[in-house]
Amino acid sequence: MIKNLPANTVERLSSYRRKLLSYPLADRPYIHSHSLAHLLKINAAHIRRDLMLIGFTGDVHKGYNVEKLIVQIGNAIDCEKKQKIGF
């Protein structure tokens, strides 16, 4: 988990991951920020800024590798320790 990520960024990263988990990888293994922004109805600049904060870069021509992006988002926002939430 990356410390000091803004709460809004963590929320958006979680949304990106949820949307990417249902993305058709067989047809398109890469996605551009503007395509993801269109799916989420947000600004593509937010996506690029958030991904830069977690150290993820894409290719100008191909876009972002979806499988690697899902893993990187998980590494950035998932807790290292498991916590019990119920008794």
Side-chain angles (χ1 to χ4, degrees):
M1 181 172 182
I2 297 176
K3 296 183 190 259
N4 301 325
L5 278 178
N8 290 340
T9 298
V10 173
E11 283 184 43
R12 286 192 300 267
L13 287 170
S14 180
S15 296
Y16 305 162
R17 182 169 58 174
R18 277 194 305 273
K19 187 57 80 172
L20 291 171
L21 286 170
S22 63
Y23 190 72
L25 284 175
D27 300 334
R28 298 169 286 195
Y30 291 86
I31 190 167
H32 288 93
S33 59
H34 62 272
S35 298
L36 184 56
H38 178 73
L39 293 172
L40 294 165
K41 297 180 173 79
I42 62 171
N43 190 334
H46 272 67
I47 293 172
R48 290 190 295 273
R49 192 175 313 122
D50 291 340
L51 297 183
M52 283 186 341
L53 283 174
I54 65 170
F56 195 81
T57 58
D59 183 270
V60 174
H61 301 288
K62 289 182 181 179
Y64 299 101
N65 182 300
V66 175
E67 287 181 351
K68 291 180 181 178
L69 180 54
I70 291 169
V71 170
Q72 185 72 20
I73 291 172
N75 291 339
I77 65 174
D78 291 344
C79 292
E80 294 172 5
K81 294 181 181 180
K82 297 192 183 227
Q83 298 179 7
K84 292 182 180 180
I85 58 170
F87 297 103

PDB file of all heavy atoms in Angstrom, residues 1 3 10-11 15 21 26 30 32 36-38 40 44-45 48-49 51 60 65-68 72 76 81 86:
ATOM      1  N   MET A   1       0.844  -1.182   0.000  1.00  0.00           N
ATOM      2  CA  MET A   1       0.000   0.000   0.000  1.00  0.00           C
ATOM      3  C   MET A   1       0.884   1.238   0.000  1.00  0.00           C
ATOM      4  O   MET A   1       1.832   1.325   0.760  1.00  0.00           O
ATOM      5  CB  MET A   1      -0.911  -0.011   1.230  1.00  0.00           C
ATOM      6  CG  MET A   1      -1.829   1.155   1.302  1.00  0.00           C
ATOM      7  SD  MET A   1      -3.008   0.924   2.645  1.00  0.00           S
ATOM      8  CE  MET A   1      -3.942   2.394   2.438  1.00  0.00           C
ATOM      9  N   LYS A   3       1.558   4.903   0.951  1.00  0.00           N
ATOM     10  CA  LYS A   3       1.092   5.836   1.982  1.00  0.00           C
ATOM     11  C   LYS A   3       0.990   7.235   1.388  1.00  0.00           C
ATOM     12  O   LYS A   3       1.632   7.559   0.405  1.00  0.00           O
ATOM     13  CB  LYS A   3       2.050   5.832   3.164  1.00  0.00           C
ATOM     14  CG  LYS A   3       2.101   4.491   3.857  1.00  0.00           C
ATOM     15  CD  LYS A   3       3.000   4.524   5.071  1.00  0.00           C
ATOM     16  CE  LYS A   3       3.220   3.131   5.572  1.00  0.00           C
ATOM     17  NZ  LYS A   3       2.478   2.737   6.684  1.00  0.00           N
ATOM     18  N   VAL A  10      -7.576   7.423  -3.928  1.00  0.00           N
ATOM     19  CA  VAL A  10      -7.828   6.023  -3.574  1.00  0.00           C
ATOM     20  C   VAL A  10      -9.220   5.611  -4.035  1.00  0.00           C
ATOM     21  O   VAL A  10      -9.399   4.517  -4.591  1.00  0.00           O
ATOM     22  CB  VAL A  10      -7.650   5.802  -2.054  1.00  0.00           C
ATOM     23  CG1 VAL A  10      -8.069   4.396  -1.659  1.00  0.00           C
ATOM     24  CG2 VAL A  10      -6.210   6.068  -1.643  1.00  0.00           C
ATOM     25  N   GLU A  11     -10.203   6.479  -3.864  1.00  0.00           N
ATOM     26  CA  GLU A  11     -11.568   6.175  -4.325  1.00  0.00           C
ATOM     27  C   GLU A  11     -11.606   5.990  -5.834  1.00  0.00           C
ATOM     28  O   GLU A  11     -12.224   5.052  -6.339  1.00  0.00           O
ATOM     29  CB  GLU A  11     -12.526   7.298  -3.935  1.00  0.00           C
ATOM     30  CG  GLU A  11     -12.934   7.286  -2.492  1.00  0.00           C
ATOM     31  CD  GLU A  11     -13.950   8.370  -2.188  1.00  0.00           C
ATOM     32  OE1 GLU A  11     -14.882   8.556  -3.005  1.00  0.00           O
ATOM     33  OE2 GLU A  11     -13.813   9.023  -1.151  1.00  0.00           O
ATOM     34  N   SER A  15     -12.374   2.648  -8.247  1.00  0.00           N
ATOM     35  CA  SER A  15     -13.349   2.661  -9.349  1.00  0.00           C
ATOM     36  C   SER A  15     -12.712   2.179 -10.646  1.00  0.00           C
ATOM     37  O   SER A  15     -13.329   1.435 -11.411  1.00  0.00           O
ATOM     38  CB  SER A  15     -13.897   4.072  -9.570  1.00  0.00           C
ATOM     39  OG  SER A  15     -14.603   4.513  -8.457  1.00  0.00           O
ATOM     40  N   LEU A  21     -11.800  -4.694 -14.211  1.00  0.00           N
ATOM     41  CA  LEU A  21     -12.026  -6.121 -13.982  1.00  0.00           C
ATOM     42  C   LEU A  21     -13.107  -6.683 -14.908  1.00  0.00           C
ATOM     43  O   LEU A  21     -13.111  -7.880 -15.195  1.00  0.00           O
ATOM     44  CB  LEU A  21     -12.376  -6.383 -12.517  1.00  0.00           C
ATOM     45  CG  LEU A  21     -11.198  -6.277 -11.555  1.00  0.00           C
ATOM     46  CD1 LEU A  21     -11.676  -6.307 -10.106  1.00  0.00           C
ATOM     47  CD2 LEU A  21     -10.184  -7.375 -11.813  1.00  0.00           C
ATOM     48  N   ALA A  26      -9.692 -10.050 -23.821  1.00  0.00           N
ATOM     49  CA  ALA A  26      -9.408 -10.865 -25.007  1.00  0.00           C
ATOM     50  C   ALA A  26      -9.396 -10.003 -26.272  1.00  0.00           C
ATOM     51  O   ALA A  26      -8.584 -10.215 -27.159  1.00  0.00           O
ATOM     52  CB  ALA A  26     -10.438 -11.978 -25.129  1.00  0.00           C
ATOM     53  N   TYR A  30      -5.104  -3.461 -23.962  1.00  0.00           N
ATOM     54  CA  TYR A  30      -4.646  -2.127 -23.580  1.00  0.00           C
ATOM     55  C   TYR A  30      -5.817  -1.166 -23.596  1.00  0.00           C
ATOM     56  O   TYR A  30      -6.796  -1.371 -24.315  1.00  0.00           O
ATOM     57  CB  TYR A  30      -3.578  -1.618 -24.560  1.00  0.00           C
ATOM     58  CG  TYR A  30      -2.271  -2.373 -24.455  1.00  0.00           C
ATOM     59  CD1 TYR A  30      -2.065  -3.547 -25.161  1.00  0.00           C
ATOM     60  CD2 TYR A  30      -1.254  -1.914 -23.634  1.00  0.00           C
ATOM     61  CE1 TYR A  30      -0.882  -4.254 -25.063  1.00  0.00           C
ATOM     62  CE2 TYR A  30      -0.062  -2.604 -23.527  1.00  0.00           C
ATOM     63  CZ  TYR A  30       0.122  -3.771 -24.241  1.00  0.00           C
ATOM     64  OH  TYR A  30       1.295  -4.452 -24.127  1.00  0.00           O
ATOM     65  N   HIS A  32      -6.602   3.278 -23.287  1.00  0.00           N
ATOM     66  CA  HIS A  32      -6.108   4.652 -23.175  1.00  0.00           C
ATOM     67  C   HIS A  32      -6.870   5.366 -22.058  1.00  0.00           C
ATOM     68  O   HIS A  32      -8.003   4.997 -21.731  1.00  0.00           O
ATOM     69  CB  HIS A  32      -6.302   5.399 -24.492  1.00  0.00           C
ATOM     70  CG  HIS A  32      -5.372   4.963 -25.560  1.00  0.00           C
ATOM     71  ND1 HIS A  32      -5.683   3.982 -26.472  1.00  0.00           N
ATOM     72  CD2 HIS A  32      -4.119   5.361 -25.860  1.00  0.00           C
ATOM     73  CE1 HIS A  32      -4.667   3.799 -27.292  1.00  0.00           C
ATOM     74  NE2 HIS A  32      -3.693   4.620 -26.935  1.00  0.00           N
ATOM     75  N   LEU A  36     -10.938   4.988 -20.753  1.00  0.00           N
ATOM     76  CA  LEU A  36     -11.346   4.692 -19.377  1.00  0.00           C
ATOM     77  C   LEU A  36     -12.154   5.850 -18.804  1.00  0.00           C
ATOM     78  O   LEU A  36     -13.162   5.639 -18.121  1.00  0.00           O
ATOM     79  CB  LEU A  36     -10.122   4.394 -18.509  1.00  0.00           C
ATOM     80  CG  LEU A  36     -10.373   3.982 -17.070  1.00  0.00           C
ATOM     81  CD1 LEU A  36     -11.280   2.760 -16.988  1.00  0.00           C
ATOM     82  CD2 LEU A  36      -9.054   3.707 -16.358  1.00  0.00           C
ATOM     83  N   ALA A  37     -11.739   7.067 -19.116  1.00  0.00           N
ATOM     84  CA  ALA A  37     -12.469   8.243 -18.644  1.00  0.00           C
ATOM     85  C   ALA A  37     -13.892   8.263 -19.202  1.00  0.00           C
ATOM     86  O   ALA A  37     -14.838   8.604 -18.486  1.00  0.00           O
ATOM     87  CB  ALA A  37     -11.733   9.513 -19.050  1.00  0.00           C
ATOM     88  N   HIS A  38     -14.049   7.862 -20.456  1.00  0.00           N
ATOM     89  CA  HIS A  38     -15.377   7.812 -21.061  1.00  0.00           C
ATOM     90  C   HIS A  38     -16.257   6.783 -20.350  1.00  0.00           C
ATOM     91  O   HIS A  38     -17.442   7.042 -20.084  1.00  0.00           O
ATOM     92  CB  HIS A  38     -15.257   7.480 -22.541  1.00  0.00           C
ATOM     93  CG  HIS A  38     -16.563   7.359 -23.242  1.00  0.00           C
ATOM     94  ND1 HIS A  38     -17.346   8.454 -23.544  1.00  0.00           N
ATOM     95  CD2 HIS A  38     -17.246   6.275 -23.681  1.00  0.00           C
ATOM     96  CE1 HIS A  38     -18.448   8.049 -24.138  1.00  0.00           C
ATOM     97  NE2 HIS A  38     -18.410   6.723 -24.238  1.00  0.00           N
ATOM     98  N   LEU A  40     -16.026   5.828 -17.255  1.00  0.00           N
ATOM     99  CA  LEU A  40     -16.301   6.262 -15.882  1.00  0.00           C
ATOM    100  C   LEU A  40     -16.951   7.644 -15.808  1.00  0.00           C
ATOM    101  O   LEU A  40     -17.299   8.106 -14.716  1.00  0.00           O
ATOM    102  CB  LEU A  40     -15.004   6.268 -15.075  1.00  0.00           C
ATOM    103  CG  LEU A  40     -14.385   4.897 -14.850  1.00  0.00           C
ATOM    104  CD1 LEU A  40     -12.947   5.027 -14.382  1.00  0.00           C
ATOM    105  CD2 LEU A  40     -15.203   4.128 -13.840  1.00  0.00           C
ATOM    106  N   ALA A  44     -10.045  12.587 -18.290  1.00  0.00           N
ATOM    107  CA  ALA A  44      -8.879  11.728 -18.545  1.00  0.00           C
ATOM    108  C   ALA A  44      -7.637  12.226 -17.807  1.00  0.00           C
ATOM    109  O   ALA A  44      -6.768  11.431 -17.436  1.00  0.00           O
ATOM    110  CB  ALA A  44      -8.603  11.638 -20.033  1.00  0.00           C
ATOM    111  N   ALA A  45      -7.562  13.521 -17.561  1.00  0.00           N
ATOM    112  CA  ALA A  45      -6.412  14.071 -16.833  1.00  0.00           C
ATOM    113  C   ALA A  45      -6.360  13.527 -15.411  1.00  0.00           C
ATOM    114  O   ALA A  45      -5.275  13.298 -14.870  1.00  0.00           O
ATOM    115  CB  ALA A  45      -6.469  15.591 -16.814  1.00  0.00           C
ATOM    116  N   ARG A  48      -4.757  10.036 -15.651  1.00  0.00           N
ATOM    117  CA  ARG A  48      -3.305  10.106 -15.860  1.00  0.00           C
ATOM    118  C   ARG A  48      -2.577  10.564 -14.601  1.00  0.00           C
ATOM    119  O   ARG A  48      -1.540  10.010 -14.231  1.00  0.00           O
ATOM    120  CB  ARG A  48      -2.999  11.039 -17.032  1.00  0.00           C
ATOM    121  CG  ARG A  48      -3.412  10.466 -18.367  1.00  0.00           C
ATOM    122  CD  ARG A  48      -2.877  11.291 -19.522  1.00  0.00           C
ATOM    123  NE  ARG A  48      -3.433  12.632 -19.563  1.00  0.00           N
ATOM    124  CZ  ARG A  48      -4.564  12.969 -20.170  1.00  0.00           C
ATOM    125  NH1 ARG A  48      -5.277  12.049 -20.795  1.00  0.00           N
ATOM    126  NH2 ARG A  48      -4.984  14.213 -20.159  1.00  0.00           N
ATOM    127  N   ARG A  49      -3.136  11.541 -13.897  1.00  0.00           N
ATOM    128  CA  ARG A  49      -2.513  12.046 -12.671  1.00  0.00           C
ATOM    129  C   ARG A  49      -2.515  10.971 -11.582  1.00  0.00           C
ATOM    130  O   ARG A  49      -1.503  10.766 -10.906  1.00  0.00           O
ATOM    131  CB  ARG A  49      -3.266  13.290 -12.194  1.00  0.00           C
ATOM    132  CG  ARG A  49      -2.547  14.064 -11.123  1.00  0.00           C
ATOM    133  CD  ARG A  49      -3.255  15.360 -10.758  1.00  0.00           C
ATOM    134  NE  ARG A  49      -3.658  16.133 -11.926  1.00  0.00           N
ATOM    135  CZ  ARG A  49      -4.915  16.497 -12.188  1.00  0.00           C
ATOM    136  NH1 ARG A  49      -5.901  16.160 -11.388  1.00  0.00           N
ATOM    137  NH2 ARG A  49      -5.210  17.204 -13.260  1.00  0.00           N
ATOM    138  N   LEU A  51      -2.624   7.709 -11.954  1.00  0.00           N
ATOM    139  CA  LEU A  51      -1.710   6.624 -12.307  1.00  0.00           C
ATOM    140  C   LEU A  51      -0.248   7.043 -12.156  1.00  0.00           C
ATOM    141  O   LEU A  51       0.594   6.226 -11.808  1.00  0.00           O
ATOM    142  CB  LEU A  51      -1.998   6.117 -13.720  1.00  0.00           C
ATOM    143  CG  LEU A  51      -3.388   5.510 -13.915  1.00  0.00           C
ATOM    144  CD1 LEU A  51      -3.542   4.978 -15.330  1.00  0.00           C
ATOM    145  CD2 LEU A  51      -3.689   4.439 -12.887  1.00  0.00           C
ATOM    146  N   VAL A  60       2.383   5.605 -25.324  1.00  0.00           N
ATOM    147  CA  VAL A  60       1.632   6.650 -26.012  1.00  0.00           C
ATOM    148  C   VAL A  60       0.727   6.065 -27.093  1.00  0.00           C
ATOM    149  O   VAL A  60      -0.410   6.507 -27.267  1.00  0.00           O
ATOM    150  CB  VAL A  60       2.602   7.683 -26.636  1.00  0.00           C
ATOM    151  CG1 VAL A  60       1.861   8.695 -27.481  1.00  0.00           C
ATOM    152  CG2 VAL A  60       3.406   8.364 -25.557  1.00  0.00           C
ATOM    153  N   ASN A  65      -1.478  -1.206 -20.185  1.00  0.00           N
ATOM    154  CA  ASN A  65      -1.717  -2.644 -20.140  1.00  0.00           C
ATOM    155  C   ASN A  65      -2.704  -2.907 -19.007  1.00  0.00           C
ATOM    156  O   ASN A  65      -2.426  -2.631 -17.842  1.00  0.00           O
ATOM    157  CB  ASN A  65      -0.406  -3.388 -19.902  1.00  0.00           C
ATOM    158  CG  ASN A  65      -0.593  -4.879 -19.886  1.00  0.00           C
ATOM    159  OD1 ASN A  65      -1.341  -5.419 -19.068  1.00  0.00           O
ATOM    160  ND2 ASN A  65       0.094  -5.556 -20.778  1.00  0.00           N
ATOM    161  N   VAL A  66      -3.867  -3.437 -19.342  1.00  0.00           N
ATOM    162  CA  VAL A  66      -4.955  -3.578 -18.388  1.00  0.00           C
ATOM    163  C   VAL A  66      -4.602  -4.543 -17.252  1.00  0.00           C
ATOM    164  O   VAL A  66      -4.827  -4.231 -16.082  1.00  0.00           O
ATOM    165  CB  VAL A  66      -6.265  -4.018 -19.096  1.00  0.00           C
ATOM    166  CG1 VAL A  66      -7.363  -4.277 -18.095  1.00  0.00           C
ATOM    167  CG2 VAL A  66      -6.697  -2.956 -20.099  1.00  0.00           C
ATOM    168  N   GLU A  67      -4.031  -5.692 -17.575  1.00  0.00           N
ATOM    169  CA  GLU A  67      -3.696  -6.670 -16.524  1.00  0.00           C
ATOM    170  C   GLU A  67      -2.684  -6.097 -15.540  1.00  0.00           C
ATOM    171  O   GLU A  67      -2.845  -6.227 -14.321  1.00  0.00           O
ATOM    172  CB  GLU A  67      -3.146  -7.954 -17.142  1.00  0.00           C
ATOM    173  CG  GLU A  67      -4.187  -8.790 -17.829  1.00  0.00           C
ATOM    174  CD  GLU A  67      -3.616 -10.065 -18.420  1.00  0.00           C
ATOM    175  OE1 GLU A  67      -2.379 -10.228 -18.456  1.00  0.00           O
ATOM    176  OE2 GLU A  67      -4.426 -10.906 -18.841  1.00  0.00           O
ATOM    177  N   LYS A  68      -1.641  -5.463 -16.060  1.00  0.00           N
ATOM    178  CA  LYS A  68      -0.616  -4.880 -15.187  1.00  0.00           C
ATOM    179  C   LYS A  68      -1.178  -3.719 -14.373  1.00  0.00           C
ATOM    180  O   LYS A  68      -0.807  -3.532 -13.214  1.00  0.00           O
ATOM    181  CB  LYS A  68       0.587  -4.424 -16.005  1.00  0.00           C
ATOM    182  CG  LYS A  68       1.373  -5.563 -16.582  1.00  0.00           C
ATOM    183  CD  LYS A  68       2.555  -5.072 -17.373  1.00  0.00           C
ATOM    184  CE  LYS A  68       3.328  -6.246 -17.973  1.00  0.00           C
ATOM    185  NZ  LYS A  68       4.460  -5.788 -18.790  1.00  0.00           N
ATOM    186  N   GLN A  72      -1.124  -3.246 -10.358  1.00  0.00           N
ATOM    187  CA  GLN A  72      -0.482  -2.065  -9.771  1.00  0.00           C
ATOM    188  C   GLN A  72      -1.446  -1.295  -8.872  1.00  0.00           C
ATOM    189  O   GLN A  72      -1.059  -0.820  -7.804  1.00  0.00           O
ATOM    190  CB  GLN A  72       0.056  -1.156 -10.875  1.00  0.00           C
ATOM    191  CG  GLN A  72       0.831   0.026 -10.370  1.00  0.00           C
ATOM    192  CD  GLN A  72       2.190  -0.337  -9.813  1.00  0.00           C
ATOM    193  OE1 GLN A  72       2.724  -1.402 -10.119  1.00  0.00           O
ATOM    194  NE2 GLN A  72       2.750   0.531  -9.007  1.00  0.00           N
ATOM    195  N   ALA A  76      -1.103  -0.649  -4.810  1.00  0.00           N
ATOM    196  CA  ALA A  76      -1.118   0.712  -4.274  1.00  0.00           C
ATOM    197  C   ALA A  76      -2.170   0.918  -3.198  1.00  0.00           C
ATOM    198  O   ALA A  76      -1.931   1.653  -2.234  1.00  0.00           O
ATOM    199  CB  ALA A  76      -1.349   1.712  -5.406  1.00  0.00           C
ATOM    200  N   LYS A  81      -1.960  -6.023   5.652  1.00  0.00           N
ATOM    201  CA  LYS A  81      -2.466  -6.894   6.709  1.00  0.00           C
ATOM    202  C   LYS A  81      -3.959  -7.083   6.547  1.00  0.00           C
ATOM    203  O   LYS A  81      -4.678  -6.173   6.157  1.00  0.00           O
ATOM    204  CB  LYS A  81      -2.223  -6.266   8.091  1.00  0.00           C
ATOM    205  CG  LYS A  81      -0.777  -6.151   8.471  1.00  0.00           C
ATOM    206  CD  LYS A  81      -0.698  -5.551   9.856  1.00  0.00           C
ATOM    207  CE  LYS A  81       0.733  -5.369  10.305  1.00  0.00           C
ATOM    208  NZ  LYS A  81       0.795  -4.780  11.645  1.00  0.00           N
ATOM    209  N   GLY A  86     -15.689  -8.537  11.500  1.00  0.00           N
ATOM    210  CA  GLY A  86     -16.852  -9.042  12.206  1.00  0.00           C
ATOM    211  C   GLY A  86     -16.418 -10.063  13.259  1.00  0.00           C
ATOM    212  O   GLY A  86     -15.307 -10.550  13.260  1.00  0.00           O
TER     213      GLY A  86
END
